């Protein structure tokens, strides 16, 4: 458990609810490698996730006196400054009594160590940033007998597909190590605007995260010498070119169905890399073609066409090589099937 230095006095237990005083938390060995948001949500018992994300985004949370992001990973010995937090009794009661409805999701694989589910589009993986609850909270409600259910990684709310959930702490650490060391193979299916050039197979472009004035997160391609550049590598393969349905041909003459493998797991990496190449993902409401998106809705595509399709990994306990697949959702299959195939 972490060590807390604060006014009021030191405590080695999670705060519930958090006191209205500055806290300094020293990260222990057991928590090393955990995402900052997950670490704080676990430690600050009774504090709503929305508030945890708010103090991180605002810069009030500091690591070793510097700014830190929600998806940064803490290390043993890090000193985290947490600002004063006051909660009304009503907010405390609401935070301590979760109202997420019980929900199970289609299971692709499950054993005693972890499970892989097929996450639907439009469902957040966890509560926070304006979302009361997500996949993990609903699954915990649906499986009250489970001793541990923890997210191994993330998917954007708008993205469907494979999501891993650990059932043992040892499995959680082993799987997160694989993701952190880039030992997994993550492949997505994406339908993009235009005819993707066969020669463009590797996108090696640094990315930078920033905030809009309203606090919403965005990502952009930057020069390699940018002070906050994060190297990002994406591999692209064309599966099929398709003719747009009637009513869209005046806006675009070709769609390309792509197999996209990411070698780094940056926020919005696929969406930004493909858009920067001039081929936005259909239905993308952050980096896409907004006028085309409006027409796509009328044509039956009501979501972003990005799906986490295949994951290659090693079993966290046996070390056996595995390959998991989440079938393309029915609504996307039907939409692709409705279009004429063009010569590759």
């Amino acid at each position: 458990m972490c060590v807390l230095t604060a006014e009021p006095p030191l405590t080695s237990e999670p705060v519930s609810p958090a006191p209205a005083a500055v806290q300094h938390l020293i990260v222990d060995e057991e928590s090393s490698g955990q995402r900052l948001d997950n670490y704080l949500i676990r430690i600050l018992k009774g504090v709503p996730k929305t508030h945890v994300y708010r103090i991180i985004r605002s810069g009030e949370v500091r690591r070793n006196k510097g700014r830190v992001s929600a998806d940064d990973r803490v290390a043993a010995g890090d000193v985290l400054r947490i600002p004063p937090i006051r909660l009304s009794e009503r907010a405390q009661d609401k935070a301590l009594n979760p109202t997420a409805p019980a929900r199970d999701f289609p299971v692709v694989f499950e054993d005693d160590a972890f499970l892989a589910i097929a996450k639907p589009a439009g469902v957040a993986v966890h509560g926070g940033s304006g979302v009361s609850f997500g996949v993990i909270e609903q699954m915990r409600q649906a499986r009250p007998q489970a001793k541990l259910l923890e997210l191994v990684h993330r998917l954007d709310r708008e993205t469907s597909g494979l999501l891993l959930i650990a059932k043992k702490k040892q499995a959680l650490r082993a799987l997160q190590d694989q993701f952190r060391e880039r030992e997994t193979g993550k492949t997505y299916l994406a339908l993009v605007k235009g005819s993707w050039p066969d020669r463009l197979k590797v996108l090696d472009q640094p990315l930078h995260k920033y905030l809009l004035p309203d606090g919403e997160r965005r990502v952009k391609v930057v020069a390699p010498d940018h002070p906050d550049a994060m190297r990002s590598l994406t591999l692209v393969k064309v599966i099929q070119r398709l003719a747009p349905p009637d009513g869209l041909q005046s806006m675009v003459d070709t769609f390309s169905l792509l197999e996209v493998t990411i070698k780094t797991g940056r926020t919005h990496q696929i969406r930004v890399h493909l858009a920067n190449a001039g081929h936005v993902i259909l239905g993308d409401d952050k980096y896409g073609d907004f006028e085309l998106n409006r027409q796509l809705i009328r044509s039956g595509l009501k979501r972003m066409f990005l799906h986490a399709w295949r994951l290659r990994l090693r079993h966290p306990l046996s070390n056996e090589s595995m390959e998991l697949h989440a079938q393309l959702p029915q609504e996307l299959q039907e939409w692709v099937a409705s279009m004429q195939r063009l010569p590759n």
Side-chain angles (χ1 to χ4, degrees), residues 12 89 126 160 189 213 250 283:
S12 60
E89 289 185 11
H126 61 72
S160 58
L189 298 177
S250 62

Side-chain angles (χ1 to χ4, degrees), residues 9-41:
L10 290 175
T11 172
S12 60
E13 294 299 322
V15 180
S16 179
V22 170
Q23 299 178 72
H24 292 89
L25 297 91
I26 303 175
V27 178
D28 63 343
E29 289 285 350
E30 185 176 345
S31 302
S32 183
Q34 192 170 24
R35 280 175 52 125
L36 175 70
D37 51 0
N38 290 340
Y39 176 78
L40 292 182
I41 288 166

Side-chain angles (χ1 to χ4, degrees), residues 185-192 196 200-201 203 233-239 256-264 269-274 279 281 305-311:
K186 296 178 283 185
T187 301
Y188 294 68
L189 298 177
L191 191 64
V192 302
W196 187 276
L200 190 55
K201 297 179 180 180
L203 302 174
L233 185 62
T234 302
L235 309 181
V236 182
K237 176 183 175 182
V238 177
I239 300 174
S256 299
L257 182 61
L258 307 178
E259 186 178 301
V260 185
T261 300
I262 54 174
K263 295 298 184 180
T264 51
Q269 177 175 327
I270 295 175
R271 299 164 71 173
V272 175
H273 269 175
L274 300 189
H279 299 275
I281 298 176
F305 202 121
L306 182 61
H307 176 72
W309 168 57
R310 183 178 69 205
L311 181 61

